[in-house]
Amino acid sequence: QVQLVESGGGLVQAGGSLRLSCAASGRTLSNLAMGWFRQAPGKEREFISRINWYGRTYYADSVKGRFTISRDNAKNTVYLQMNSLKPEDTAVYYCATLTGQNEPSYWGQGTQVTVSS
């Protein structure tokens, strides 16, 4: 029904910035809430941020003030701007559609972000 493809990951130095993109196909995202999650090796998948259909946002404490979630409904794309990156931000980053209860439903394949010291 919905296909999500993340892009924009890579290797950056601590203190640097990166912008991730999540492009959707199969249906419009305009009336869907979207979220970003990450998973580091050996750790549980962690919620990062979400944005609802009209633009209200929420952030986990670990990224608040450094990351910004946004959406461009005309391009059917959700973004995650990551600033002041730290080595502990190293993980595979996933986007997902969210239900009305903010539970993930459809997932992308993930994109690797590596932050070096």
Side-chain angles (χ1 to χ4, degrees):
Q1 184 175 359
V2 179
Q3 297 83 45
L4 304 174
V5 178
E6 301 96 334
S7 62
L11 175 63
V12 298
Q13 291 184 291
S17 297
L18 206 60
R19 189 176 80 156
L20 306 184
S21 298
C22 174
S25 61
R27 65 156 293 169
T28 181
L29 300 180
S30 61
N31 63 344
L32 292 177
M34 300 291 297
W36 283 97
F37 301 76
R38 67 186 181 187
Q39 188 165 23
K43 304 189 73 174
E44 295 284 295
R45 190 165 296 187
E46 173 191 15
F47 166 79
I48 299 170
S49 182
R50 64 173 179 262
I51 184 168
N52 74 0
W53 64 271
Y54 68 92
R56 182 179 180 181
T57 60
Y58 182 83
Y59 299 92
D61 288 341
S62 59
V63 305
K64 192 176 300 180
R66 300 188 298 121
F67 291 10
T68 303
I69 189 172
S70 62
R71 65 194 304 163
D72 186 338
N73 289 337
K75 296 181 178 180
N76 222 26
T77 300
V78 179
Y79 303 96
L80 185 68
Q81 178 67 46
M82 305 184 294
N83 298 326
S84 302
L85 283 163
K86 307 173 181 179
E88 51 263 45
D89 294 319
T90 295
V92 178
Y93 284 70
Y94 300 88
C95 67
T97 56
L98 302 178
T99 69
Q101 294 74 43
N102 291 321
E103 295 292 330
S105 51
Y106 294 93
W107 293 94
Q109 86 290 342
T111 185
Q112 176 71 47
V113 172
T114 303
V115 184
S116 62
S117 300

